[in-house]
Amino acid sequence: MPLPFSKLQTVKTQAWVLVSHILLVLPVGVLAGSASALFLWALDRVTALRLEQPWLLFCLPVAGVGMAWAYVRWGGRSGEGNNLILEQIHEPGGGVPRRMAPFILLATLVTHLCGGSAGREGTAVQMGGSLAEAFQRVFRIADRHRRLLLMAGVAAGFGSVFGTPVAGAVFALEVLVVGELKHEVLVPLLAASVVGHLVCLSWGIHHAQYALSGGDALRSLTDLAVLGKVVVCGIAFGLVAQLFVRTEHGVRWVLGRWIRWPYLRPVMGAFAVIAGVYLLGTRDYLGLSVEPASPGGIALSTCFVAGGVTLLSWLWKLLFTAVTLGSGFKGGEVTPLFFIGASFGHVMGLVVGLPIDLAAALGFVSVFAAAANTPLACAILGLEVFGGGHAVHFVVACFFAYLCGGPEGIYRTQRRIPKAQ
């Protein structure tokens, strides 16, 4: 039976709107993917230089002063970072400064060059949002499309910097309002994220992939004992995420309350990082901590191997990162959260009797899920990074971590509805 004329017209209108939105966001995907490629290439170079020149750690206080001065002098609202982008998506106003992209790129590279413990998601998301805003202004695109373009910048930035385009699209939706998804723009966001990912790959950038052992994964999905252990781990991951959030916010609050001169706050944080290095006798917790700083060292890649981390590796990375970011250095929280989660998951695997690599993978995604209040995006991220053999385990761990992670998250302007009714 043919559709009535009115319904046919509605379908055609909806199809045209969808196609036009996809075409609108594709340039944002290209810009964000290229920016992520540049950032990841430069990040590899500055990390290698820091490892070759250990004395650069002692430049961290000077770098902190210079960074704070540059943001105060020229940065404007750029210093608000991801929170400003989320705010502008919710309530478009003054917009996202175009200077945010170069500022966050340079500041993050300086943080990593001098040994600060930070990530890369914040940089990619801010560059994506800033470039989306610039694209909208240069081509005088109607203001009614600004929200979509900013969301596309977030999706493409996240998807391209981690090589997880589906998670990037869902993250851009889920991060806006805790507990609520607006599905009508999912396809354009997925298009922007996929394009960003492909463009990043076309520049010669490659992303880490992790293979999990356990050929009985699919069979174990129905094992209630295994699922029970995953639930216990998820609850613990949520508590660790809340510890990280409260520690970072606490560092920022204490320094803001007791040190009125903004240029001195990163100096205090830098001295704390340097002191931590010498107290622990290792530099494993500086920078991204994706690969060991020295042979036999501890890093994200060793979390999946028995004996690859210590019982407190997660806590040390948590403290290094909270002090670095809480004192005003720039970067992201996500890659450090991957390390914190994976190393704590390693420990939980020993405690509850799960395979070490599976427990580390669950922590990898679940601590971030709870800290960012994005359980669905993180479950999908787990599938893209580790494969689909443990899909149920990822979903269960992420959602229990999210439910037990407390009300606070790493994004201050994220809107919230109750986690449970």
Side-chain angles (χ1 to χ4, degrees):
M1 181 178 178
L3 288 173
F5 179 75
S6 59
K7 290 187 177 181
L8 184 60
Q9 288 296 104
T10 300
V11 171
K12 288 182 177 179
T13 300
Q14 291 174 340
W16 167 243
V17 169
L18 179 61
V19 171
S20 64
H21 283 176
I22 291 174
L23 294 175
L24 185 63
V25 302
L26 293 184
V28 174
V30 173
L31 292 172
S34 298
S36 291
L38 173 62
F39 170 54
L40 293 173
W41 174 84
L43 186 57
D44 283 344
R45 299 305 182 275
V46 300
T47 298
L49 182 58
R50 173 174 57 81
L51 295 177
E52 293 170 4
Q53 306 293 338
W55 60 268
L56 285 170
L57 176 63
F58 299 102
C59 297
L60 192 60
V62 178
V65 172
M67 193 180 303
W69 178 78
Y71 268 93
V72 171
R73 178 69 176 82
W74 295 301
R77 298 192 68 189
S78 298
E80 298 178 39
N82 291 348
N83 288 307
L84 176 60
I85 294 175
L86 297 184
E87 175 188 298
Q88 291 301 307
I89 292 174
H90 287 307
E91 297 178 4
V96 177
R98 283 172 285 185
R99 73 191 78 174
M100 177 182 279
F103 261 77
I104 190 61
L105 173 63
L106 293 175
T108 303
L109 293 176
V110 169
T111 296
H112 283 277
L113 177 66
C114 298
S117 176
R120 49 197 172 181
E121 143 274 343
T123 305
V125 167
Q126 290 176 52
M127 289 193 301
S130 178
L131 292 169
E133 181 82 13
F135 171 72
Q136 190 248 343
R137 292 183 182 179
V138 168
F139 291 95
R140 299 181 179 180
I141 297 170
D143 285 343
R144 68 178 183 274
H145 296 305
R146 174 180 290 176
R147 185 172 186 271
L148 174 64
L149 290 172
L150 286 176
M151 292 174 69
V154 172
F158 189 99
S160 60
V161 82
F162 292 122
T164 55
V166 180
V170 177
F171 175 83
L173 283 176
E174 196 175 22
V175 75
L176 295 176
V177 182
V178 177
E180 181 179 81
L181 289 174
K182 300 290 187 181
H183 299 93
E184 62 271 14
V185 293
L186 178 59
V187 173
L189 295 185
L190 182 59
S193 188
V194 169
V195 167
H197 172 58
L198 294 176
V199 167
C200 189
L201 292 180
S202 72
W203 285 105
I205 300 298
H206 302 284
H207 303 281
Q209 294 291 322
Y210 302 90
L212 298 182
S213 62
D216 295 331
L218 293 177
R219 180 185 60 79
S220 68
L221 294 180
T222 58
D223 188 332
L224 294 181
V226 171
L227 287 176
K229 294 176 182 179
V230 171
V231 169
V232 171
C233 288
I235 294 170
F237 295 147
L239 297 177
V240 168
Q242 191 61 199
L243 177 63
F244 172 81
V245 171
R246 290 182 180 272
T247 303
E248 182 186 340
H249 290 180
V251 170
R252 185 174 288 110
W253 182 85
V254 168
L255 292 178
R257 179 177 177 84
W258 295 105
I259 302 178
R260 297 297 182 184
W261 198 44
Y263 309 132
L264 186 57
R265 295 169 196 161
V267 173
M268 299 303 294
F271 283 136
V273 168
I274 294 171
V277 167
Y278 283 91
L279 285 172
L280 296 178
T282 179
R283 299 188 178 216
D284 289 336
Y285 306 111
L286 302 180
L288 290 173
S289 298
V290 171
E291 295 295 338
S294 59
I298 292 170
L300 179 60
S301 59
T302 69
C303 293
F304 302 90
V305 181
V309 297
T310 70
L311 293 179
L312 293 179
S313 291
W314 64 273
L315 181 60
W316 302 137
K317 185 62 176 178
L318 185 153
L319 293 174
F320 272 85
T321 306
V323 168
T324 298
L325 299 178
S327 61
F329 287 93
K330 301 300 180 183
E333 295 95 344
V334 175
T335 305
L337 284 170
F338 289 163
F339 178 96
I340 294 166
S343 55
F344 183 71
H346 183 115
V347 175
M348 287 300 298
L350 297 174
V351 172
V352 303
L354 283 176
I356 293 299
D357 57 349
L358 172 59
L362 295 177
F364 183 106
V365 295
S366 300
V367 172
F368 172 38
N373 290 311
T374 55
L376 181 57
C378 291
I380 294 172
L381 185 146
L383 303 183
E384 292 188 286
V385 173
F386 299 102
H390 294 277
V392 173
H393 298 148
F394 287 130
V395 171
V396 170
C398 284
F399 276 89
F400 270 91
Y402 161 71
L403 290 173
C404 298
E408 289 189 79
I410 56 179
Y411 304 119
R412 175 178 48 80
T413 54
Q414 190 178 45
R415 294 187 177 178
R416 295 170 174 82
I417 60 176
K419 289 188 177 183
Q421 299 289 348

